[in-house]
Amino acid sequence: MIATATSPGALSKSAPKPRNQTLEMLKRPRISIPLVLLTILVVTSALAPWVAPASPTKMMGAPLLSPGGDHLLGTDDYGRDVLSRLIYAGRVSLGVAIGSVTIAAVFGISLGLMAGYFRGAVEFIIMRSMDLLLSFPTIVLAIAMVAFLGPSIRNLIIIIGIIYTPRFVRVVYGSALVLGDSDFVNAARVIGASDTRILAKAVLPNVMAPIFVQVSLSLGFAILVESGLSFLGLGAQPPTPSWGNMISGARPFMELYPHLLIFPSIVIGLTILMLNTLGDGLRDELDPRLRGSR
Amino acid sequence: MSKIPFKLTRRGFVATGSLAAGGLLVPAASAAPRITSTRARMAQDAEPKPGGTMIYGLSTDPSNFEPHISTGAASTSVKLMCYSTLLTYSPENEIIGDLAEEFGWIDGTTYQLKIREGVTFHDGSDLTVDDVIFSLQRIQNPDTAATNASYFAEVTDISAGDGNTVNLTFNRPFQAFDFILANTNSYIVSKAWIESGVDPKTTMMGTGPFVFKERVPGVSITLEKNPNYFLEGLPYLDGIIYQPMPDDTTRMTAVRSGTVDFADYVPYTQMDIIQNDPNLTFAYDDVSGFGWVGFNHEMAPGSDVKIRQAIAHGMNRDTMVTTAFAGHGSPITGGLIPAGMIGHAPDLEGTYNGDYEKAKSLLDEAGMNPLEFDMVSTSTYSVIQRPAEAAQAELQNANINAKLELQEWLTFRQTVADGTFPVHSWGTAIDYGDPDFLWNYFHSTGNMAKQFRFADADTDALLEQGRFETDSAVREEIYHDLQAHTLEILPWVPSIRRVQGEAMQSFVMGYTHLPSWNPITMRQIWLDK
Amino acid sequence: MGRFIARRMITLVGQVLLVATIVFLMLRLVPGDPARAILGETASEEQVANMRTKLGIDRPVWQQYFDWLGDAIRGDLGKSIISGRSITDDIMSRLGNSAELIAISVVISLIIAIPLGTIAALKRNQFPDIALSSIAMLGLSLPGFVVGTVLVLLFGLKWKILPQARFVEFGDDPVAHMKLLILPSITLAIGNAAVLLRMMRSSMLEVMRQDYVRTARAKGLTDRRVITSHTLRNAINPVVSLVGLEIATLLGGMVIVEQIFNWPGLSTLLMSGVLSRDYPVVQGVVLVIAIITIVVNVIVDITYAVLDPRIRLT
């Protein structure tokens, strides 16, 4: 087992942050800009039926029209409006990303905390199962689960969630290991605080920074994993659009009709960029040790 | 029984063709389809230059080389270069002899084959009548699980006759038997070789134009010229190296950049690019590959004939050809039998083609307007997936909402076999050039019909008459009636045909894409460079 | 240290056994069977049933399991039921190809990630950091199949610098072989470098604010000294750990790159095995990948300890 013997310097500052700090954070451009853009993205996707100019699944015009004219971003190989598909696809892609990362984070954080805090048999079972999960090729897992459960959005979320759980476990485990042994947690034990209370009030807040980074990275990855699965025919089912299956569907046409590839790529790229900038920003803001050094 | 000479000229084969003129009891050639390839490539005037090795980009890494079980079109193009069949196709797509010099019915129930003499296997041993009998019995043996086993069901005896002949005794004269023997799963193998305990899945040894050299899985399959091939002068190539390239875009990029000389299975997305490339040739047909919307007849809503008719009316096939294949296909609005084959029925065309109002009124009659059902298809093959999506889009016009689920290929096959979905969308190819191919799909004992839980006494009766009727004029009528009848009761709804073909460098000469998809003309390929 | 390794080895055996069992059972739960894959689409149900008997997959699952496990423990992974080939042979040849591609791409991505990640951390929130982070993000946001296809179209078709060539063994033609490796390893490296760069940056930042680094700085050591002698060594740890994880993931997870560049690696063998329900092939490949992954994890843990003396192994 690995235990980092470094003494974390931030333990004493785990007290809840004052409210005005949130406001102050929002004033920083590297937090506010991505936040605004991501909000726009989420709202547009959520309001897709009202925002999108056309149906995402109905064939509206001639196939493979270039951008401009009646269809702002052109039409795809089935004559469907690319812009409308992009907007609707946000629901699936963001939904899959948020859903799967939530699953991974909830399970990953709880398992990681337990493993790091309780040690012993709990630690052994959790950590070695995570190794097991990591050693299991993703494709086998994905194909087996899709074949067995059927290729629905819900199952996609479950599969990607499972794939990302070990990453959260590893992130949280390392920190929990150190914290579990610290004076500060020992003191809490002495005064009779329950394990749950210690984990939630003392340990969890101190592992939030790496979790934020992991969440922001994983959200982006989840969008990509979905596109990889689409490439293998295991992603969101046609005609339902997702950014991932739009990209994989565009690949045969990328030479003659690059617009089919470019638009969803831009949206994915921008989303991931914003998510990561936000993740980094939050991490720096939330980590008290970094604030002074800016 | 007369001799059917098989001539080889310097320019390649000239099929003497009309077996009917030979006076056989059953005029086999009249049964041969006259569908000609839309883009046949023949080395018309140039003198073939021997030599050179051709690099072949193969769409699937062959799963194995078992000679009597179909492992897909890609592996056929390898196996057929090592093994030979008794009969095969001429570049005009007519049945000709290959290992058999003469063939046909000598009486009502006996089919005779005169085996070519002086043919040797790649190991130097002579091809004997025993090998032929052994091979046919191997196909017949249930333990082999041969693809063509069911076509030998009527065969009661296979034995040697006089003068290097083999006689097959039938209960009833199976009219399409020529096509079965010309099929690429009816290879003739060496009895001694198979019995020596080799694993025919991993290696090949036959009488074909090329000798199997080695296989590196996922990398290459190497064949070398058979200097003792029984057709003199052939093959022209010194060898063929097959390189599996399962990714469509990769394979097409390889042929376009000249990395490979030949590539099978051009995806429709690349057909225009390939056709417009001055350095490339595209050889194809739009006859064999077809798709359909099928049902589990024991399940609502497909169990109601009105619903099946509504679905048939609810699809505009012309639109589907555009949406599914950007025009690289053709609609099926009547019977499935293509022009040139016995039973082709032009008068039935236009029976079903996008009459949405009619579809809606049929739904009303069935009391199910709007109609919604689950439809399963496969994401593994775009030639199946795209028509499924096109059908789904078309049916919306007729108030029919097909909720599509795309499964991976083997899961899909299991799903259809288990009948868990009421409706499916599938596609495959015409198995052989005789209307008897419909048996599989329509007859209550047919493998496909069984999966669809379809059985109809009238349909069975017509198919049985057709299979054993010797008068081809009568057969024309039988199969016309069969199509008219099945268009009424709709065991399943045919949708569109697709273009299927190969891309090659323009210096690749002598190849003809046959609508039967039999790649035998590869033995005539030569490189003009 | 010795006790640690011994204990991990025992655990390892248990884990591998568990992976073997899970994959065995999972495959049998997945619909679609190999008999149908062998026979093609026109096969009748009787033929399928016959083939199942012939393959022995109609026997009770536990019986199949113990037969396979018994052979596997003796090092015999059996024969593919689809191709009839020896699975051990096929895995060995594919494993070499995969390892080669992974090794080269990891080296490329480390060469990119470590210096650039360090720079980004040192120039935190200044132009170089923002520029590098954005580029990394771009690398992260493009799926491998897009990057790969673009590279093939540009280098192979348009500029004809690196035409797609047939696979050749290193022994047959080393130059041609290495040329073949360029595009796929770059494709893999682009995604990986982005991840590693971010990890390097954040880990560097983490280390830089540790007390001992502050002390070193306070002592008046130059930035260069501080970085080389104090920070870098410690900051690389998480990157090493991540690389270990990546290597293991890539073994079975490069399907797309292998497919696009026609590289005969382990992932394609695994993928075709899964798609044709070639049970023994999938079992064999997963077993080998699991062993490698778990061993790599142990090695990563030990390397960690060697690189960072503060870490205790328990």
Side-chain angles (χ1 to χ4, degrees), chain B residues 55 61 63-64 69-71 142-147 149-150 199 201-202 215-220 241 243-247 249-250 253-254 256-257 259-260 408-411 413-414 417 426-428 431 440 447-448 450-451, chain C residues 30-34 36-47 50-51 54-55 79-85 90 93-94 97 149 152-153 156-157 160 163-169 259-262 264 274-277:
Chain B
I55 314 291
D61 194 12
S63 47
N64 63 60
I69 298 179
S70 161
T71 41
D143 289 345
T144 313
T147 307
S150 66
D199 185 356
K201 280 176 165 177
T202 56
R215 170 176 196 191
V216 186
V219 177
S220 63
I241 297 173
Q243 191 187 5
M245 299 183 150
D247 185 71
T249 312
T250 305
T253 313
R256 289 169 62 200
S257 61
T259 306
V260 300
E408 173 274 318
W409 177 237
L410 286 181
T411 311
R413 296 264 312 281
Q414 187 83 54
W426 194 346
T428 178
D431 300 312
N440 202 0
N447 292 333
M448 287 295 197
K450 273 200 271 186
Q451 297 188 51
Chain C
V30 172
D33 75 60
R36 221 175 276 279
I38 292 175
L39 292 172
E41 53 193 275
T42 50
S44 67
E45 291 307 305
E46 295 81 65
Q47 284 176 321
N50 282 343
M51 185 54 84
K54 210 170 143 187
L55 295 174
K79 276 184 176 182
S80 152
I81 52 185
I82 304 287
S83 75
R85 300 176 51 89
D90 277 6
S93 76
R94 304 284 187 122
N97 294 335
T149 314
V152 170
L153 284 179
L157 207 57
K160 297 191 191 292
Q164 256 187 326
R166 292 185 306 112
F167 180 82
V168 275
E169 298 286 348
Q259 218 177 74
I260 290 175
F261 294 98
N262 233 36
V274 175
L275 290 181
S276 56
R277 307 292 187 274

Side-chain angles (χ1 to χ4, degrees), chain A residues 25 30-31 276-286 294:
Chain A
M25 256 166 57
R30 51 185 302 216
I31 299 218
N276 284 288
T277 316
L278 183 67
D280 285 355
L282 284 177
R283 167 183 174 276
D284 292 358
E285 290 302 324
L286 292 176
R294 199 180 302 112

Side-chain angles (χ1 to χ4, degrees), chain B residues 50 52 56 114 126 148 152 225 230 260 277 311 343 367 402 447 454:
Chain B
Y56 187 125
K114 183 167 188 340
D126 288 327
N148 287 342
F152 283 73
K225 177 179 184 156
F230 58 83
V260 300
D277 191 325
I311 289 171
N447 292 333
F454 170 76

Side-chain angles (χ1 to χ4, degrees), chain B residues 241-407:
Chain B
I241 297 173
Y242 295 87
Q243 191 187 5
M245 299 183 150
D247 185 71
D248 286 346
T249 312
T250 305
R251 192 171 61 259
M252 288 306 119
T253 313
V255 73
R256 289 169 62 200
S257 61
T259 306
V260 300
D261 303 317
F262 193 103
D264 64 343
Y265 191 71
V266 176
Y268 93 94
T269 49
Q270 298 266 344
M271 284 176 184
D272 291 329
I273 297 179
I274 301 281
Q275 267 174 323
N276 293 332
D277 191 325
N279 299 320
L280 298 177
T281 310
F282 180 43
Y284 66 92
D285 76 282
D286 64 350
V287 179
S288 267
F290 67 97
W292 69 85
V293 173
F295 310 94
N296 173 353
H297 283 259
E298 290 170 356
M299 225 169 152
S303 49
D304 185 341
V305 67
K306 289 208 167 69
I307 295 296
R308 301 199 295 272
Q309 288 168 346
I311 289 171
H313 278 300
M315 297 185 287
N316 182 326
R317 313 305 201 266
D318 298 288
T319 316
M320 283 179 69
V321 171
T322 311
T323 41
F325 301 131
H328 300 284
S330 56
I332 313 172
T333 59
L336 188 60
I337 298 176
M341 202 186 280
I342 282 187
H344 173 61
D347 58 307
L348 296 176
E349 265 159 40
T351 311
Y352 296 109
N353 199 14
D355 188 342
Y356 308 127
E357 293 316 309
K358 180 82 187 144
K360 285 177 197 164
S361 73
L362 281 162
L363 291 184
D364 285 332
E365 282 175 43
M368 285 189 255
N369 186 6
L371 174 65
E372 187 173 294
F373 52 77
D374 291 321
M375 178 162 87
V376 67
S377 190
T378 178
S379 55
T380 309
Y381 300 108
S382 65
V383 291
I384 301 179
Q385 177 183 339
R386 293 195 67 94
E389 292 179 81
Q392 180 191 39
E394 265 303 298
L395 289 171
Q396 289 182 347
N397 296 321
N399 275 356
I400 299 172
N401 180 17
K403 285 198 292 176
L404 186 60
E405 176 169 324
L406 293 172
Q407 298 178 338

